[in-house]
Amino acid sequence: MARPAPSVPTLIRALLGLIVGLGLAELAFAARDRFGFPHVNIFVPDPDLGLRLRPRSGGTIVLNDNPPAAYTTGPAGWRSGPVLAKNTDSIVIVGDSQVFGLGVEDDQTVAARLSHHTGRPVHNGGVPTYGPEEYLRAMDELLGASDARTAVLVINFANDLFELGRPNATRHAAWDGWAVRIETAPDPAEVWALPGRGWLMSQSHLVHALRRWWHGPTAPDAGLPSEGDWEDVLAQSLAPAGQSDEEAALRQALVAAVHDRDTAARAARAARAEVGWSLADTREDRLAIQAIAEQASPGDIVGDRYSEAARAVPVTAELLRSGARVQRQLRREIEAWIRDHPDHSLSRQITATTTSAAEAEAEIARIAQTVAAQSTGSGPLAAVVDRAAAITAAHGAALVVVALPLDVQVDPARFAAYDSAPRDMDGTLALLDQLVQLAQARGHRALSVLPALREGGGAGLFLDGDLHLRPEGQDLVAQAIAAAIAAPAPPAWPGPGLAPGRSRVPLPEEWAATDENLVRGSSRNHCQTWRVREWQRVHCTTPEGGPAVESARAVAAPAETMVLVAEGLVDVVLPVLAEGPATVDIRWADRVERLTVPPTGAPHFAPAPAAAGPWPGPAAPALCVAPAARFGAGSADCSAWTDCADAWGCRQGDRLHPPRCAPGTAPAGAAQHCQTLCDAAHPCTTGRCTPWDGGSFCQ
């Protein structure tokens, strides 16, 4: 006997029951998710920026065990803030998810707190997934719409270095409102157009839970190729300098000869060998990446360990560490290449303009330093800063550049948040300093917020298990930026050129090849003396069984005077200038002698009159190279260079190893040591403001 068809009321009750059940399930999963998602889910495609945020929309972010944080967007698709209208008093800030304020409320972002601390409207141009290329486009768009007179560019060292030359459209795609890495994105033609799909796939917690159960996160911690690594940084760094001076052609040819593809690949391989892995180092990683590339996967959508679906933070930390090593390797490779190819046409161009072997050696070293500094030091980030400066200048705005460190750079204790052992990140901090220095050298306000974050709480300023800042961290960054905005723009740094009649500090080889010059009293004081061009060197040691030489200090000497004090050793190098005699006091255990070096005539020692003032103590640790072969400057802070050769390069004034200079000072002059900068807005408190290659310093 046939079963009777269900009645219409029965079907309606069943349908209502199904709807109620799904509604209850949706509510239950939403409550379990604390009514939020681990990622922003309001992205829409954009042909220029890759992605944008949907205007007049919002959502709630829940990152690990951190409190839920709501976010909203305004009419133009930027995170909510002041109305985007013409207001010259306003400020524009651009960046990625840190500037967006992932994990904090609208009124807790760095933009909102910057508005609080400055009393000025601040437009938040931060968007998760954006990189340097998108920052510049966002800056141009926001400045044009707001007429703001201040633009803040935040470079995030968590990923911005690896995104250079990789526009967001080549890294991310929008999938039902989510941002997914390009490898995980489906073919748009194969996405089913279902009624209500937009809400179901981006807003339904039940669908999100089903996706998580069915697929799960699929990307390896080592990341995907679209995220880039140090090969991308090398590709940007190896571009010729292209300066418009008489050395431009030579520099470009030298970079092309030294920095070829083989060199870049070799450097990358060496860095990876030191780290011990690559983007696809293990068989499991290779298979995972292959599977992702062959079939779209929602792993980026449902994964919640890393809020931007990026590679693991410890992996990024290792890339930064290897990157710092690559920079050092390339610098040395350039120097070694030019020295090892004396018969090459490029080397002959250098030696053809010099009159002695010593001058040729000095000129080769100078060119090698210049090329290396331009191609491996400031290289890629300099291009970003220069483009930002051009954009701000076109809109009549001032530029502020901010270096934002990775959380494990702030405090190695943060490695524990990622179930990883701590690593020494000190070698990577020079990358932040380079960004600040290159921006300040161009006369822009710039700062690293590393000191503020370290002093303000360190590891406690970041979200649990995530690299983004808590509200307290956002506020500290805003305070630091507000102070930089309030301060006058720094003086432009003097360039690497030489003033008329000046030369570089002699190389060790030049001192060794020079006979001693006449300095009265040097023999009785057990000192050796040399003169190379305008540079005078005096090297005093403790004689066997005699009174120990203990210290030295400049009394009236040029700012470029260098004093090295070590156990049983004093080494002084100073330029002899026409402005007047230089005097330096040297102390032995039983006496103090004054060295006087006049502009003309013979230098001489004489008993020193009583004089107050501190004496520098011995250098520590002990010198790591033979003191008879090299010299250094006790006044230069070269502590940032942990490698012995790098530290000596810093003390000798080469541009590849600049000292760490205090605010208001910069490497300048022939010795490239820290000098107080000056201009009309920053007069000298002592000495006179000396022009030098596009800038000035107090001397």
Side-chain angles (χ1 to χ4, degrees):
M1 181 176 179
R3 177 180 298 177
S7 64
V8 172
T10 301
L11 291 174
I12 293 175
R13 285 195 297 271
L15 180 61
L16 289 175
L18 177 62
I19 293 173
V20 171
L22 290 174
L24 291 174
E26 175 67 29
L27 183 61
F29 279 105
R32 186 204 65 173
D33 295 339
R34 293 185 288 165
F35 300 95
F37 294 100
H39 308 291
V40 173
N41 57 351
I42 57 170
F43 285 102
V44 294
D46 183 89
D48 295 324
L49 297 168
L51 303 171
R52 277 186 182 271
L53 298 174
R54 189 166 56 242
R56 294 187 176 91
S57 190
T60 299
I61 287 287
V62 177
L63 301 175
N64 300 316
D65 295 327
N66 299 285
Y71 62 90
T72 58
T73 59
W78 307 105
R79 186 157 190 182
S80 291
V83 176
L84 191 57
K86 299 290 185 180
N87 183 350
T88 57
D89 192 44
S90 62
I91 299 170
V92 164
I93 182 170
V94 297
D96 60 7
S97 57
Q98 286 281 29
V99 171
F100 173 84
L102 204 65
V104 302
E105 301 282 343
D106 286 343
D107 61 353
Q108 296 172 330
T109 67
V110 64
R113 300 309 301 162
L114 182 59
S115 180
H116 171 79
H117 291 298
T118 61
R120 299 167 61 183
V122 179
H123 304 289
N124 188 339
V127 178
T129 75
Y130 277 13
E133 180 65 31
E134 291 70 43
Y135 302 164
L136 300 178
R137 290 176 178 267
M139 179 186 291
D140 192 28
E141 179 178 323
L142 285 166
L143 285 175
S146 66
D147 208 23
R149 289 294 176 262
T150 303
V152 181
L153 170 67
V154 180
I155 299 295
N156 184 1
F157 280 78
N159 44 29
D160 284 351
L161 283 175
F162 312 115
E163 294 169 353
L164 292 164
R166 285 181 178 265
N168 200 31
T170 68
R171 294 185 285 107
H172 288 94
W175 186 3
D176 296 324
W178 308 90
V180 296
R181 285 170 291 186
I182 205 72
E183 292 91 343
T184 74
D187 185 340
E190 297 179 1
V191 176
W192 294 356
L194 303 173
R197 179 186 176 93
W199 184 89
L200 282 173
M201 294 301 184
S202 67
Q203 303 296 326
S204 171
H205 293 268
L206 175 58
V207 170
H208 192 266
L210 289 172
R211 273 181 156 179
R212 184 195 299 267
W213 171 75
W214 184 258
H215 296 281
T218 56
D221 276 354
L224 297 174
S226 62
E227 294 175 83
D229 66 4
W230 264 92
E231 287 188 2
D232 297 275
V233 182
L234 285 171
Q236 297 293 316
S237 299
L238 302 184
Q243 301 295 316
S244 57
D245 58 31
E246 69 276 6
E247 292 180 344
L250 175 59
R251 290 174 184 169
Q252 291 181 15
L254 183 57
V255 170
V258 179
H259 279 168
D260 55 21
R261 289 183 178 272
D262 290 339
T263 298
R266 186 168 61 256
R269 285 196 301 272
R272 287 180 166 183
E274 290 188 53
V275 175
W277 55 265
S278 71
L279 287 180
D281 185 60
T282 66
R283 181 175 182 273
E284 291 76 12
D285 283 349
R286 289 194 297 272
L287 292 175
I289 291 175
Q290 180 180 355
I292 291 168
E294 291 176 351
Q295 181 177 355
S297 166
D300 284 356
I301 296 172
V302 300
D304 59 2
R305 183 178 181 189
Y306 300 109
S307 52
E308 283 194 89
R311 57 178 160 238
V313 169
V315 175
T316 297
E318 286 295 350
L319 280 173
L320 288 172
R321 281 157 52 93
S322 66
R325 288 191 288 267
V326 166
Q327 283 196 325
R328 291 194 295 269
Q329 177 181 339
L330 289 179
R331 282 196 300 263
R332 291 167 182 162
E333 190 167 325
I334 289 177
E335 292 176 322
W337 184 92
I338 196 168
R339 293 175 189 276
D340 293 344
H341 295 78
D343 297 328
H344 193 278
S345 59
L346 297 175
S347 300
R348 288 199 297 271
Q349 291 180 54
I350 297 170
T351 56
T353 61
T354 56
T355 59
S356 69
E359 288 182 1
E361 178 70 18
E363 186 68 3
I364 286 174
R366 183 178 70 82
I367 298 292
Q369 287 182 17
T370 301
V371 173
Q374 289 176 343
S375 58
T376 66
S378 59
L381 288 176
V384 173
V385 172
D386 288 343
R387 289 177 61 194
I391 292 170
T392 53
H395 290 282
L399 176 64
V400 181
V401 179
V402 180
L404 181 66
L406 185 64
D407 59 345
V408 293
Q409 290 178 300
V410 175
D411 191 340
R414 283 289 299 177
F415 277 105
Y418 311 110
D419 300 322
S420 180
R423 296 166 175 80
D424 182 5
M425 299 298 293
D426 286 350
T428 70
L429 303 184
L431 301 171
L432 282 77
D433 294 338
Q434 286 173 6
L435 173 61
V436 173
Q437 288 184 357
L438 74 90
Q440 290 178 339
R442 290 154 169 78
H444 307 304
R445 296 172 178 87
L447 71 152
S448 166
V449 295
L450 177 69
L453 294 175
R454 281 186 168 177
E455 294 169 8
L461 297 175
F462 296 89
L463 297 173
D464 291 341
D466 191 88
L467 57 84
H468 291 89
L469 289 163
R470 295 181 184 273
E472 300 88 342
Q474 297 272 344
D475 187 65
L476 281 173
V477 172
Q479 290 183 51
I481 296 174
I485 291 174
W493 288 15
L498 291 168
R502 296 302 311 276
S503 67
R504 299 289 177 198
V505 180
L507 296 166
E509 293 81 1
E510 292 182 89
W511 294 119
T514 303
D515 294 332
E516 287 195 62
N517 69 319
L518 176 64
V519 175
R520 292 196 302 272
S522 60
S523 297
R524 63 181 172 83
N525 285 312
H526 209 263
C527 299
Q528 294 175 283
T529 57
W530 303 269
R531 177 74 175 267
V532 176
R533 298 181 297 278
E534 79 272 27
W535 294 95
Q536 176 69 54
R537 180 186 179 191
V538 177
H539 180 82
C540 302
T541 56
T542 298
E544 185 176 354
V549 61
E550 297 177 338
S551 191
R553 63 185 178 192
V555 178
E560 296 170 299
T561 298
M562 293 166 278
V563 176
L564 172 66
V565 178
E567 185 175 356
L569 158 68
V570 163
D571 204 302
V572 177
V573 176
L574 55 83
V576 182
L577 306 178
E579 285 74 15
T583 55
V584 177
D585 284 353
I586 301 177
R587 185 181 70 189
W588 282 261
D590 61 346
R591 67 192 186 281
V592 177
E593 296 268 342
R594 175 160 294 178
L595 169 67
T596 300
V597 185
T600 60
H604 59 274
F605 280 99
W615 291 87
L623 299 177
C624 52
V625 296
R630 305 238 177 174
F631 68 89
S635 60
D637 181 3
C638 298
S639 59
W641 301 99
T642 55
D643 180 84
C644 179
D646 293 338
W648 271 108
C650 172
R651 293 189 180 102
Q652 291 176 193
D654 76 51
R655 295 182 61 241
L656 291 181
H657 308 93
R660 178 178 291 160
C661 297
T665 69
Q672 289 292 295
H673 287 155
C674 298
Q675 309 290 1
T676 300
L677 301 177
C678 55
D679 59 14
H682 302 80
C684 296
T685 55
T686 59
R688 60 187 180 84
C689 195
T690 303
W692 191 288
D693 194 18
S696 301
F697 66 92
C698 299
Q699 180 167 275

